[in-house]
Amino acid sequence: MRTIKLGESGLNVPAVAVGCMRINGLDAAGAERFVQTAIDEGAVFFDHADIYGGGTCEEIFAKAVHMTPSVREKLFLQSKCGIRPGVAFDFSREHILNSVDGSLKRLNTDYLDVLLLHRPDLLVEPEEVAEAFDTLQQSGKVRHFGVSNQHPMLIQLLKKYVKQPFVANQLQLSITNATMLSQTLHVNMLDDAALSRDGNVLDYCRLNNITIQPWSPFQYGFFEGVFLGSEKYPELNAKIDELAEKYGVSNTTIAMAWLLRHPANMQPVTGTMNIQRLKDCVKAAEIRITREEWYAIYLAAGNDLP
Ligand SMILES: NC(=O)c1ccc[n+]([C@@H]2O[C@H](COP(=O)([O-])OP(=O)(O)OC[C@H]3O[C@@H](n4cnc5c(N)ncnc54)[C@H](OP(=O)(O)O)[C@@H]3O)[C@@H](O)[C@H]2O)c1
């Protein structure tokens, strides 16, 4: 698969990442087929979190891939920490270190390529994050660090203490959840689209070489449903279907190609557990829709121009 540079990590990673949040919906044989298909397709960057399936997603993945050192070295494994069910959020040194140990055990590996802080912790003490990252880097347990769902100012606060570069910021972004784009267009206007909900995180990440990893690339709302084929988005689906026909690909491929066309070189994280849809997502890395098509999709989703 086409690769992109992941932030300042020095890693060249597949342009499409495979999210494993839903892998606990498959049985063992299905998980094995799914993971093997991903690897065969060159989709060897897998996104995890300590909390997915209460930890079972990491375990299911490790069994499905038949983790051994020689398998491990072909993969990029990313996991996340910082969400604590029953509490809320926890970026304390102790929690970060314990969480990584848990992920390593469940993934049956001795290192993560990337660790992300999952969601902002209101009680964050950045000095503790810095200590935890140093410990994890020195022990070899984590090679690169990043964040998820984090505002530029919080990243700046962390950067005051953390010496490792943040290589990724995983953020909700899809054709139908594109506020980070629309606010840029509606600068200084009085309508809702002009509201800066994220501190201009898109521009911030581009300026600081932080790769944006769009999560839930096919969902509208907050896990409300899939916009492809949805009667809520007739105009959008008509436009996507028209382009799918033109390129001879599926609607899934076109929706993914829309994210990949953005010049920020984002790395979308798929969530499908369906083998054909996974292949369709991977295929998107091969096609480049035109500027006119990109805007036509943006507008068909209900976004407007100033
Ligand atoms: N950092 C964060 O806070 C955060 C939050 C959420 C998720 N994530 C990461 O992002 C990944 C993706 O999230 P997601 O799973 O919500 O993403 P998604 O790809 O937008 O949604 C996947 C779901 O939509 C269904 N789907 C996808 N395409 C479809 C289509 N064309 N028609 C019908 N159904 C379709 C899938 O069903 P099938 O399996 O049947 O295809 C699956 O249930 C997760 O695995 C996780 O790694 C991160």
Side-chain angles (χ1 to χ4, degrees), residues 8-253:
E8 291 179 356
S9 66
L11 299 177
N12 288 315
V13 296
V16 176
V18 182
C20 295
M21 182 178 77
R22 301 177 193 263
I23 201 169
N24 58 342
L26 299 177
D27 61 19
E32 201 173 320
R33 266 197 309 277
F34 175 80
V35 171
Q36 197 50 53
T37 304
I39 293 171
D40 292 346
E41 293 283 320
V44 290
F45 188 106
F46 295 94
D47 181 67
H48 291 272
D50 54 357
I51 56 157
Y52 290 165
T56 58
C57 292
E58 290 178 327
E59 281 171 353
I60 292 166
F61 172 84
K63 284 199 186 97
V65 81
H66 298 288
M67 192 73 84
T68 59
S70 66
V71 170
R72 174 66 185 94
E73 69 186 26
K74 295 187 187 115
L75 310 177
F76 296 101
L77 296 184
Q78 170 172 282
S79 196
K80 314 187 202 72
C81 67
I83 298 183
R84 259 184 76 189
V87 179
F89 306 106
D90 191 344
F91 285 1
S92 65
R93 178 180 182 278
E94 189 189 6
H95 179 71
I96 293 172
L97 296 180
N98 286 340
S99 166
V100 169
D101 283 342
S103 287
L104 293 178
K105 192 162 173 227
R106 291 187 292 273
L107 286 166
N108 193 13
T109 181
D110 50 12
Y111 70 96
L112 294 177
D113 295 281
V114 187
L115 174 71
L116 305 183
L117 298 173
H118 203 156
R119 269 199 179 273
D121 172 16
L122 295 176
L123 301 181
V124 61
E125 294 176 63
E127 301 90 328
E128 285 209 21
V129 174
E131 267 184 54
F133 283 10
D134 285 346
T135 304
L136 291 168
Q137 190 176 44
Q138 280 153 21
S139 63
K141 289 180 181 177
V142 177
R143 297 190 174 172
H144 303 282
F145 299 86
V147 294
S148 174
N149 305 306
Q150 316 234 354
H151 191 283
M153 286 307 285
L154 181 53
I155 299 175
Q156 282 298 117
L157 176 67
L158 292 168
K159 273 169 78 130
K160 183 170 175 198
Y161 301 90
V162 171
K163 61 173 186 284
Q164 296 82 4
F166 290 107
V167 301
N169 191 2
Q170 196 171 109
L171 296 156
Q172 186 177 21
L173 175 63
S174 73
I175 298 167
T176 53
N177 279 329
T179 55
M180 87 172 69
L181 301 172
S182 47
Q183 69 172 32
T184 304
L185 272 187
H186 287 245
V187 63
N188 201 25
M189 293 174 69
L190 290 174
D191 55 348
D192 270 5
L195 295 175
S196 176
R197 293 180 161 82
D198 58 35
N200 294 78
V201 73
L202 171 62
D203 299 328
Y204 175 87
C205 288
R206 293 182 80 179
L207 280 168
N208 290 278
N209 293 331
I210 298 173
T211 298
I212 292 181
Q213 297 178 329
W215 58 259
S216 289
F218 298 103
Q219 305 282 320
Y220 61 87
F222 195 79
F223 302 114
E224 277 174 50
V226 175
F227 59 77
L228 290 176
S230 164
E231 57 191 22
K232 284 179 188 272
Y233 294 96
E235 210 187 315
L236 174 62
N237 278 293
K239 179 47 73 180
I240 289 177
D241 290 348
E242 177 197 316
L243 294 175
E245 202 176 322
K246 174 188 160 185
Y247 285 91
V249 297
S250 73
N251 57 355
T252 302
T253 303

